[in-house]
Amino acid sequence: MRTSYTERTARLLGPKGWTALGVFLAIMLVAMPVLHLLVPPGSPLHVSNYVITLTGKILCYAMVAVAMDLIWGYAGILSLGHGLFFALGGYAFGMYLMRQIGLDGNYHSPLPDFMVFLDWKTLPWYWQGTDHFIWAAILTLAVPTVIAFVFGFFAFQSRIKGVYFSIITQALTYAAMLLFFRNETGFGGNNGFTDFKRIMGYSVTAPETRVVLLGLTALALAGTLVLGRWLVTSRFGRVLAATRDAESRVMFIGYNPLWYKLFIWTLSAMLCGIAGALYVPQVGIINPSEMSPAASIEIAIWVAVGGRGTLIGAVIGAIAVSLAKSWFTVSFPQYWLFFLGFLFILVTLFLPEGLVGLYRRLRGNKAEAVAQEPAFTPDPETVSSAAPKAGLPTPQPHLTGESA
């Protein structure tokens, strides 16, 4: 008997999962905006601009971590270049934000300020149409997707895997970073894009705009989690997991792993591009440092800390590491990279399943201890001696036929 769509949807996350997702969305879509917009700044319940911006940034990182978990945790593909797709989405939408500055720039020119400074006379051809939101949204989706598809097709068709694939992805993002650092490429050089003014006619720095962007980011993260869960629990997800564990056997039974790996790889890149587009207007800057190999390695660390192959573990890892980074870079900026390396070694040696795996292990040990605890059996003599004191009838021995 086939189950209905409603039953399948309910089973997708389970009652606890849907409840947790609903609480998360209620906090992000209702509680945070109310505490930011309606509560006076002097109140201890007021949520500041800094908290709104930091929360939105971390949710974007969490979305990238989920995208990374889809390919690493479920397909066994370790990418050390996912920062490239995140940055490409950010640059694609950043072009629209730069065009929205208009004549309000420092040079009061329709060209972006960095182009005026470099004595550019006209916009490059690839900037055409970027003053329209729809075209910018298409670029945000298309650029990371197309690059990931082309790269992934040739890499997976050549059966490149393991550490070799990781090295190639790292080389790809490093080459792109060097390209974007050059002023003649038309992307702002090492300064990138910044000083945004408006988005769809609204001020980027307005409190109302900030909470709307936060809400959109929360919805995007929730949608990514649901989509990821649906994929990994479907037949596609089972074939993908089988490809991760024994690709040769999957080929022997008639499946072509190329298209499964290519689809999840391309989808992961597109999700990173969306996260990058949401990141730029909230943080207010995008530059080539987002493409650095260190940024891509940090994405992998988020997933490793939270727990691979769990989806929610990627979110937890991204939040935990990002909060630690925010504190370290303020208090001990020179020690952050040392801490990050130590954290990766610690997780690899002692927490191979991440924080989610640690929680499951502790919960399993607790359940096992409860199951093995002997049941309490009262001593008959103790009960008999205590019964008269409590006003209870004294238990009588069972009579046998002979004593009767």
Side-chain angles (χ1 to χ4, degrees):
M1 181 178 178
R2 298 184 61 181
T3 58
S4 65
Y5 176 78
T6 305
E7 292 176 348
R8 292 198 303 269
T9 304
R11 294 176 183 175
L12 192 61
L13 298 180
K16 292 183 178 179
W18 285 114
T19 301
L21 190 62
V23 171
F24 165 74
L25 290 177
I27 293 174
M28 294 298 154
L29 301 179
V30 180
M32 294 282 280
V34 168
L35 295 177
H36 179 61
L37 298 175
L38 301 182
V39 177
S43 172
L45 297 178
H46 175 73
V47 175
S48 64
N49 289 332
Y50 172 76
V51 174
I52 292 292
T53 302
L54 180 63
T55 304
K57 180 177 74 171
I58 292 177
L59 292 184
C60 291
Y61 288 160
M63 189 172 171
V64 175
V66 174
M68 179 70 173
D69 194 24
L70 285 174
I71 62 166
W72 190 20
Y74 293 94
I77 303 170
L78 174 57
S79 169
L80 296 181
H82 254 43
L84 170 62
F85 306 124
F86 177 77
L88 287 175
Y91 267 99
F93 197 73
M95 294 165 72
Y96 164 77
L97 296 175
M98 293 297 290
R99 296 292 302 277
Q100 290 297 299
I101 296 175
L103 300 178
D104 295 336
N106 295 327
Y107 297 100
H108 306 289
S109 170
L111 295 177
D113 283 347
F114 72 88
M115 290 188 181
V116 178
F117 179 78
L118 296 173
D119 199 27
W120 289 45
K121 303 302 181 183
T122 58
L123 286 171
W125 62 268
Y126 45 85
W127 277 77
Q128 301 300 324
T130 53
D131 55 336
H132 300 288
F133 177 83
I134 298 299
W135 180 242
I138 293 174
L139 287 178
T140 298
L141 296 175
V143 173
T145 302
V146 170
I147 292 178
F149 180 86
V150 173
F151 173 83
F153 177 80
F154 289 105
F156 297 139
Q157 191 179 44
S158 302
R159 303 291 300 275
I160 299 174
K161 60 180 68 175
V163 66
Y164 302 104
F165 184 87
S166 302
I167 292 174
I168 292 176
T169 56
Q170 191 174 52
L172 178 67
T173 188
Y174 186 71
M177 181 188 69
L178 295 180
L179 178 65
F180 274 69
F181 264 125
R182 299 177 67 88
N183 289 326
E184 55 268 29
T185 56
F187 294 106
N190 60 338
N191 294 322
F193 300 157
T194 187
D195 196 27
F196 307 128
K197 305 293 185 184
R198 288 175 293 273
I199 176 172
M200 300 185 70
Y202 298 95
S203 173
V204 173
T205 58
E208 295 81 6
T209 306
R210 290 185 179 277
V211 297
V212 169
L213 290 171
L214 175 64
L216 290 175
T217 307
L219 289 173
L221 175 59
T224 302
L225 283 170
V226 173
L227 174 63
R229 182 64 180 170
W230 177 73
L231 283 173
V232 300
T233 55
S234 65
R235 178 183 176 184
F236 171 85
R238 292 191 291 271
V239 175
L240 194 65
T243 302
R244 174 197 62 194
D245 297 334
E247 184 173 348
S248 299
R249 293 186 180 183
V250 172
M251 296 175 63
F252 290 154
I253 61 177
Y255 290 98
N256 187 354
L258 168 65
W259 301 111
Y260 289 88
K261 293 162 69 174
L262 185 58
F263 175 80
I264 200 68
W265 166 260
T266 306
L267 176 65
S268 178
M270 185 183 70
L271 293 174
C272 287
I274 296 173
L278 291 168
Y279 171 89
V280 171
Q282 296 183 83
V283 177
I285 188 173
I286 181 72
N287 56 45
S289 64
E290 300 293 344
M291 300 181 185
S292 67
S296 296
I297 293 173
E298 190 171 330
I299 295 173
I301 293 177
W302 295 341
V303 180
V305 170
R308 287 187 297 153
T310 60
L311 294 182
I312 190 61
V315 176
I316 295 173
I319 294 174
V321 177
S322 298
L323 289 176
K325 182 178 182 179
S326 298
W327 180 78
F328 257 92
T329 51
V330 172
S331 303
F332 307 99
Q334 66 273 25
Y335 296 117
W336 164 243
L337 292 179
F338 294 100
F339 172 77
L340 192 64
F342 173 76
L343 179 65
F344 186 70
I345 295 173
L346 182 68
V347 169
T348 303
L349 294 178
F350 301 104
L351 292 174
E353 298 177 352
L355 296 176
V356 171
L358 176 63
Y359 169 75
R360 290 174 176 174
R361 194 183 314 143
L362 294 176
R363 188 178 62 176
N365 293 340
K366 183 178 179 180
E368 184 179 352
V370 171
Q372 292 179 354
E373 185 177 345
F376 174 71
T377 305
D379 184 15
E381 295 183 1
T382 304
V383 174
S384 300
S385 61
K389 297 180 182 179
L392 300 174
T394 304
Q396 299 296 327
H398 294 286
L399 297 177
T400 62
E402 185 176 327
S403 61

